């Protein structure tokens, strides 16, 4: 019988009566989880993209003997009677799972520095998630004083705002002819009329060609990683040498993948002129470097239409969300891309 259990984003942290801790993850993006399972098994990626149900069928066939329920390492995959796929991951390395939970909570204290074992770390995170109370922390030793006799400290940071002006899309989703169910908005492709960066008092305009390459789900950009030489060209990414981009970045996901499963009546694809902005943090004495700025993409899949939408940006290895001003300018054109 569980003593305490807390849902934290995609994660469930359970503390049992004996004090043991268990971390599970129920993926919002089932497709992402299935691709993780597939790639970790060393299977070749398909030439043509599969939808979530096809990924589930293939994983169960290749790795679970075609059963409707199977276990691959830490993952349990289940196909329901309506072919809906569920994936749950139970972490074998509980402390590693708790570190992911801490990242979700933006909980910064390091368990090793604080002397917390796995059980204590789990209890602290559950309490913090439940009440927001920070536990008593050990004082971290200060670094030796710098030459100017001032104590060494983390660099002062400043906010830099990147404004994006261009064309984008809005997806209006209806469960009947009259009722709007959900509205998804996104910057699309690279159709930007203007990219303005306000760095302190100075505003600079850039084109898309000035910016870093786009990061796609399961491959590194060419200017970061040289496949032929099998090495990172950008030293900032060497710490991720044993990881893929999906391990490093928290890719946004859409719940809507298969319109049939959602009982949707119609989806309208609306093209708009959009204004958006991204606020990043850099060192106070640092100037914005456009080559460290990358767009993140996520596939938004509906029947008979595959739409690639811009969901966020990465600057110098850290992810930031795009904030869309969807009321700034409205519809240019519209097209029905799905109708039951």
């Amino acid at each position: 019988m569980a003593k305490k259990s807390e849902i934290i984003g995609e994660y469930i942290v359970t503390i049992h009566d004996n004090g043991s801790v268990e971390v599970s993850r129920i993926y919002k993006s089932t497709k992402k989880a299935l691709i993780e399972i597939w790639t970790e098994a060393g299977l070749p990626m398909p030439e043509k993209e599969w939808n979530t149900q096809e990924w589930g069928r293939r994983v169960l066939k290749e790795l679970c003997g075609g059963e409707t329920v199977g276990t691959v390492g830490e993952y349990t995959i289940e196909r329901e009677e309506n072919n809906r796929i569920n994936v749950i991951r139970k972490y074998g390395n509980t402390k590693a799972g708790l570190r992911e939970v801490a990242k979700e909570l933006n909980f910064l204290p390091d368990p090793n520095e604080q002397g917390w074992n796995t059980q204590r770390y789990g209890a602290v995170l559950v309490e913090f998630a439940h009440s927001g109370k920070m536990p008593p922390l050990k004082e971290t030793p200060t670094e030796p004083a710098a030459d100017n006799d001032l104590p060494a400290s983390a660099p002062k940071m400043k906010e830099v705002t990147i404004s994006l002006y261009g064309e984008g899309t809005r997806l209006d989703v209806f469960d009947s002819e009259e009722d709007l169910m959900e509205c998804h908005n996104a910057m699309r492709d690279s159709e930007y009329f203007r990219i303005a960066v306000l760095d302190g008092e100075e505003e600079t305009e850039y084109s898309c060609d000035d910016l870093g390459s786009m990061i796609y789900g399961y491959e590194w950009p060419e200017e970061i990683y040289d496949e032929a030489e099998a090495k990172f060209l950008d030293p900032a990414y060497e710490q991720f040498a044993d990881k893929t981009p999906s391990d490093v970045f928290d890719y946004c996901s859409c719940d809507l993948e298969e319109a049939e499963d959602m009982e949707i009546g119609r989806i309208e694809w609306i093209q708009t002129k959009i204004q958006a902005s991204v606020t990043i943090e850099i060192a106070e004495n640092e100037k914005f470097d456009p080559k460290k700025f990358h767009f993140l993409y996520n596939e938004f899949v509906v029947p008979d239409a595959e739409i690639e939408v811009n969901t966020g940006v990465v600057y110098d290895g850290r992810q930031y969300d795009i904030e869309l001003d969807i009321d700034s300018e409205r519809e240019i054109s519209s097209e029905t891309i799905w109708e039951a």
Side-chain angles (χ1 to χ4, degrees):
M1 182 176 179
K3 179 181 179 182
K4 186 180 291 186
S5 187
E6 192 76 20
I7 298 175
I8 304 169
E10 296 185 355
Y11 301 88
I12 302 173
V13 180
T14 302
I15 301 177
H16 296 279
D17 284 337
N18 62 2
S20 64
V21 180
E22 180 180 304
V23 179
S24 301
R25 182 178 181 183
I26 301 177
Y27 287 76
K28 290 181 182 177
S29 174
T30 306
K31 183 177 177 181
K32 175 183 174 180
L34 292 166
I35 295 175
E36 280 184 14
I37 297 168
W38 186 269
T39 54
E40 287 178 11
L43 296 172
M45 295 297 287
E47 294 182 3
K48 184 178 179 181
E49 186 56 84
W50 297 329
N51 62 25
T52 305
Q53 292 180 359
E54 181 65 13
W55 271 111
R57 188 183 73 80
R58 298 276 185 155
V59 168
L60 287 168
K61 178 182 177 182
E62 296 295 331
L63 301 175
C64 304
E67 300 291 335
T68 56
V69 178
T71 299
V72 181
E74 297 181 349
Y75 301 84
T76 299
I77 310 103
E78 177 188 12
R79 186 174 71 233
E80 297 180 358
E81 290 184 2
N82 63 358
N83 288 325
R84 181 184 178 88
I85 304 295
N86 300 313
V87 177
I88 298 176
R89 179 182 180 185
K90 182 178 178 181
Y91 286 79
N93 185 333
T94 305
K95 202 165 192 177
L98 290 171
R99 285 186 180 276
E100 291 187 22
V101 174
K103 186 177 179 182
E104 179 83 13
L105 290 169
N106 197 26
F107 184 87
L108 301 179
D110 185 275
N112 295 332
E113 292 179 359
Q114 297 299 320
W116 295 333
N117 61 18
T118 302
Q119 292 184 0
R120 176 60 181 155
Y121 192 30
V124 164
L125 287 174
V126 168
E127 178 61 27
F128 181 76
H130 184 71
S131 66
K133 292 181 180 179
M134 182 68 74
L137 301 177
K138 291 182 180 179
E139 291 186 9
T140 54
T142 56
E143 296 181 11
D147 293 340
N148 58 6
D149 293 330
L150 294 175
S153 60
K156 291 184 177 180
M157 306 299 286
K158 65 179 178 181
E159 290 188 344
V160 174
T161 299
I162 298 98
S163 298
L164 308 170
Y165 305 85
E167 289 189 358
T169 58
R170 184 177 82 248
L171 293 182
D172 287 350
V173 183
F174 298 80
D175 58 9
S176 71
E177 284 297 315
E178 295 81 22
D179 301 326
L180 178 66
M181 185 176 75
E182 279 186 89
C183 184
H184 295 272
N185 302 274
M187 298 295 286
R188 177 169 172 75
D189 299 330
S190 298
E191 299 165 357
Y192 305 123
F193 306 134
R194 180 169 170 243
I195 301 170
V197 177
L198 183 61
D199 188 346
E201 299 298 320
E202 179 183 351
E203 183 171 302
T204 309
E205 290 194 20
Y206 295 94
S207 71
C208 283
D209 293 337
D210 296 325
L211 303 179
S213 296
M214 301 165 191
I215 292 182
Y216 293 90
Y218 294 91
E219 59 185 35
W220 293 102
E222 289 182 359
E223 82 277 7
I224 291 180
Y225 188 78
D226 185 330
E227 279 196 24
E229 297 291 330
K231 68 177 183 179
F232 282 85
L233 304 178
D234 185 338
Y237 288 85
E238 287 181 355
Q239 61 182 309
F240 307 131
D242 60 342
K243 299 179 182 297
T244 66
S246 59
D247 295 322
V248 177
F249 304 119
D250 179 19
Y251 287 90
C252 303
S253 62
C254 285
D255 291 332
L256 177 63
E257 290 187 346
E258 294 297 330
E260 299 101 326
D261 295 344
M262 305 288 290
E263 297 182 355
I264 288 167
R266 188 174 86 256
I267 300 176
E268 294 288 336
W269 176 17
I270 315 295
Q271 188 173 15
T272 61
K273 288 186 177 179
I274 291 182
Q275 298 181 19
S277 63
V278 181
T279 300
I280 66 172
E281 283 191 343
I282 63 177
E284 193 174 46
N285 60 352
E286 181 182 339
K287 186 173 177 59
F288 175 81
D289 182 352
K291 291 302 179 185
K292 294 181 179 179
F293 184 93
H294 306 275
F295 286 111
L296 286 176
Y297 283 83
N298 179 59
E299 287 182 351
F300 190 130
V301 181
V302 296
D304 303 321
E306 186 170 304
I307 301 173
E308 184 181 78
V309 296
N310 194 326
T311 57
V313 301
V314 169
Y315 185 82
D316 199 18
R318 181 178 174 186
Q319 181 179 326
Y320 298 87
D321 293 330
I322 292 176
E323 296 183 8
L324 292 164
D325 181 3
I326 61 173
D327 295 321
S328 59
E329 292 188 51
R330 276 302 187 182
E331 182 174 323
I332 300 173
S333 62
S334 65
E335 177 186 353
T336 300
I337 61 170
W338 166 259
E339 195 161 17

